[in-house]
Amino acid sequence: MPRALALNCSLKAEGDSSTDKMIALIAGELESHDVQLSETIRVAGHDVKPGVSSDEGAGDAWPAIRAKIIAADILIFGTPIWLGQMSSVAKRVLERMDAFLRETDDQGRTPAYGKVALVGVVGNEDGAHHVTATVIQALNDVGFTVPAAAATYWVGEAMGKIDFKDLPTVPDKIRKTAAIAASSAAHLARLLKSEAYPGAGAS
């Protein structure tokens, strides 16, 4: 059975979060395909040091988070939009994943090879497509596989005061988007578990 892990890249270290609600929506759809969410990590609540290595020394919380990412089959990457961009926390996570590019096996595969990535984005301003594009590109660069229709997002009225977490019900279109993303991810994760990428050894 594929296992999922979620990273909540909210700027809040704790408390109510629209990003959590989006992650829960995606995780619920994954569960309908027998994929269990093992944990949601609120990254801002951990001391993830700046840098581009897998361990930035004393007190760095990233090595333990990294181990959980590598142990999962599906990564749900959740971020809010701030100033039309992903959160600074999301950016830091992607910067830390840059180390994967220097941690390849003898077939050139990074630790993220065979892992599937889904993206959830929330905000009260434009930028969902921009954030999705940059996050997916970065995740794919370090080795994650992106399924068809891999992102689910909700963007409220520009400069509005309603957050995703405050909606009485999830809009039908958002729920359907999450459902197709989860279906694609679960299917792809099972394929990759049964037959890994071959990579390309040194000639």
Side-chain angles (χ1 to χ4, degrees):
M1 177 185 297
R3 296 171 297 167
L5 175 78
L7 298 181
N8 180 342
C9 296
S10 169
L11 298 180
K12 300 175 184 176
E14 57 185 19
D16 211 11
S17 163
S18 287
T19 309
D20 265 336
K21 182 172 180 176
M22 179 60 78
I23 288 170
L25 173 64
I26 296 169
E29 295 296 341
L30 283 171
E31 189 172 2
S32 71
H33 297 280
D34 295 322
V35 177
Q36 295 298 315
L37 178 67
S38 60
E39 183 180 0
T40 296
I41 298 173
R42 184 75 70 94
V43 180
H46 301 268
D47 188 9
V48 175
K49 306 290 187 185
V52 292
S53 77
S54 284
D55 191 340
E56 291 291 332
D60 186 16
W62 180 251
I65 295 172
R66 177 192 180 279
K68 291 177 180 181
I69 293 169
I70 300 308
D73 302 299
I74 298 173
L75 174 67
I76 305 172
F77 190 104
T79 180
I81 300 170
W82 289 107
L83 299 174
Q85 303 177 59
M86 72 180 85
S87 74
S88 57
V89 174
K91 182 69 170 174
R92 178 162 296 187
V93 167
L94 294 174
E95 289 168 345
R96 295 304 301 270
M97 287 184 185
D98 184 79
F100 289 177
L101 298 172
R102 298 179 297 282
E103 298 170 349
T104 56
D105 64 14
D106 59 4
Q107 295 300 112
R109 297 170 295 195
T110 76
Y113 266 55
K115 314 294 180 186
V116 175
L118 290 175
V119 178
V121 179
V122 293
N124 280 323
E125 55 190 282
D126 198 8
H129 281 175
H130 168 70
V131 169
T132 298
T134 52
V135 170
I136 284 177
Q137 180 66 59
L139 291 172
N140 187 248
D141 280 351
V142 300
F144 286 93
T145 299
V146 180
T152 306
Y153 69 85
W154 177 87
V155 178
E157 182 182 4
M159 296 179 282
K161 297 190 180 299
I162 301 297
D163 290 331
F164 184 63
K165 63 183 173 61
D166 298 325
L167 297 179
T169 59
V170 174
D172 189 56
K173 180 64 175 176
I174 308 303
R175 189 172 298 283
K176 287 180 179 177
T177 302
I180 193 66
S183 174
S184 298
H187 176 71
L188 186 55
R190 288 189 172 89
L191 291 177
L192 290 172
K193 278 180 78 72
S194 65
E195 188 168 351
Y197 285 118
S203 57

